[in-house]
């Protein structure tokens, strides 16, 4: 299954920016589609963004479209989420997630990192 | 948008008992349904995908069934480590949409 380690979370003011990173090891990163899923404190799960294995297609939840950008650097085995125009409602733990299927971006969330907390507050 | 409704919200059971968790979709999702387990302070873990396929390393006491709008996760005999929150998730309109249910908490009675 490998290891997914998120970083880059923290406290930011409304309107600010953050870049999350997810460092991957233990599997062939370039073969898998990847996702960011978030969980607001005490709440359920929400898919934020997804990227295909070759990076040619990306997808975003309506709530973050135009503000967040997902990307990957296969040479560094790293997934990114650039977040701008942050809102209080973006406060959540952000999980880096490996897709279950190496052949297609299936949206079966096969393996999760431990998450990084993003807090948006003045 | 397809809404997933999980019931009950909380299930109070003893170790060794059978747990039956329900997930109902507002419209058909075929068998594009998965189940996840989340323990306090931990990330979710994939248990079941495509309604009834167990993920790698998941014990046989976990089983999934159903199709269309009604799905069930069954834990045949609860182990102490099974007390957690369970979420269902559908992907019938992926890309780009997936939705999660609100979760069922399985607690020790």
């Amino acid at each position: 299954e490998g290891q997914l380690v998120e970083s880059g979370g923290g406290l930011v003011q409304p309107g600010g920016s953050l870049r999350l990173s997810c460092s991957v090891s233990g599997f062939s990163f370039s073969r898998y589609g990847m996702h960011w899923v978030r969980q607001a404190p005490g709440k359920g799960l929400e898919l934020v963004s997804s990227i295909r294995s070759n990076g040619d297609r990306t997808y975003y939840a309506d709530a973050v479209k135009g503000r967040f950008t997902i990307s990957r650097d296969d040479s560094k085995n790293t997934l990114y989420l650039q977040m701008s125009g942050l809102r209080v409602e973006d406060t959540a733990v952000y999980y880096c997630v490996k897709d279950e299927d190496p052949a297609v971006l299936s949206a079966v969330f096969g393996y999760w990192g431990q998450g990084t907390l993003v807090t948006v507050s003045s | 948008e397809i809404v997933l409704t999980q019931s009950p919200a909380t299930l109070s059971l003893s170790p060794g008992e059978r747990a039956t968790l329900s997930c109902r979709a507002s419209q058909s999702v075929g068998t594009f349904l998965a189940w996840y387990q989340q323990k306090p302070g931990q990330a979710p873990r994939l248990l079941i995908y495509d309604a009834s396929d167990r993920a790698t390393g998941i014990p046989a006491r976990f089983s999934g069934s159903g199709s269309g709008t009604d799905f069930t996760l069954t834990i045949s005999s609860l182990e102490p480590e099974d007390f957690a929150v369970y979420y269902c998730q559908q992907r019938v309109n992926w890309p780009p949409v997936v939705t999660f249910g609100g979760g069922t908490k399985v607690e020790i009675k």
Side-chain angles (χ1 to χ4, degrees):
Chain A
E1 292 175 328
Q3 188 173 19
L4 309 173
V5 179
E6 301 95 335
S7 61
L11 175 63
V12 61
Q13 292 188 338
S17 299
L18 277 178
R19 187 176 82 157
L20 305 184
S21 299
C22 172
S23 179
V24 167
S25 60
F27 67 94
S28 182
F29 177 65
S30 63
R31 295 182 59 209
Y32 286 84
M34 298 293 295
H35 310 271
W36 289 98
V37 177
R38 69 184 179 185
Q39 186 171 36
K43 302 296 184 182
L45 300 165
E46 178 186 23
L47 176 62
V48 172
S49 185
S50 306
I51 186 167
R52 288 189 5 176
S53 58
N54 59 10
D56 65 334
R57 292 294 302 269
T58 58
Y59 303 94
Y60 298 93
D62 287 344
V64 306
K65 204 170 293 184
R67 300 187 297 123
F68 290 11
T69 302
I70 190 171
S71 62
R72 62 190 297 156
D73 186 338
D74 290 353
S75 69
K76 296 182 178 179
N77 284 352
T78 303
L79 177 73
Y80 301 101
L81 185 68
Q82 179 68 49
M83 305 185 294
S84 61
L86 282 161
R87 305 168 180 169
V88 171
E89 56 264 35
D90 295 319
T91 295
V93 174
Y94 285 73
Y95 294 102
C96 169
V97 186
K98 171 191 169 190
D99 198 275
E100 178 70 357
D101 193 331
V104 297
L105 190 64
S106 69
V108 175
F109 304 116
Y111 191 68
W112 302 57
Q114 284 304 301
T116 186
L117 176 62
V118 173
T119 303
V120 185
S121 174
S122 55
Chain B
E1 177 187 327
I2 297 175
V3 176
L4 296 179
T5 302
Q6 293 188 240
S7 62
T10 303
L11 194 53
S12 298
L13 294 168
S14 301
E17 289 193 295
R18 182 183 189 90
T20 303
L21 287 67
S22 173
C23 178
R24 178 163 291 176
S26 58
Q27 57 187 275
S28 177
V29 300
T31 56
F32 291 115
L33 191 105
W35 291 92
Y36 301 85
Q37 176 195 66
Q38 187 176 32
K39 298 178 184 179
Q42 295 187 18
R45 176 175 70 148
L46 175 66
L47 299 175
I48 302 286
Y49 63 97
D50 291 349
S52 60
D53 291 337
R54 265 191 308 276
T56 302
I58 301 303
R61 65 180 181 273
F62 292 92
S63 63
S65 63
S67 65
T69 61
D70 289 297
F71 299 86
T72 300
L73 175 70
T74 302
I75 310 171
S76 59
S77 178
L78 283 163
E79 297 287 340
E81 62 267 27
D82 299 337
F83 293 91
V85 178
Y86 293 83
Y87 293 97
C88 58
Q89 173 240 329
Q90 66 82 20
R91 62 187 180 102
V92 70
N93 292 324
W94 170 261
V97 177
V98 304
T99 54
F100 289 89
T104 290
K105 181 180 181 180
V106 178
E107 66 175 22
I108 299 176
K109 185 174 181 179

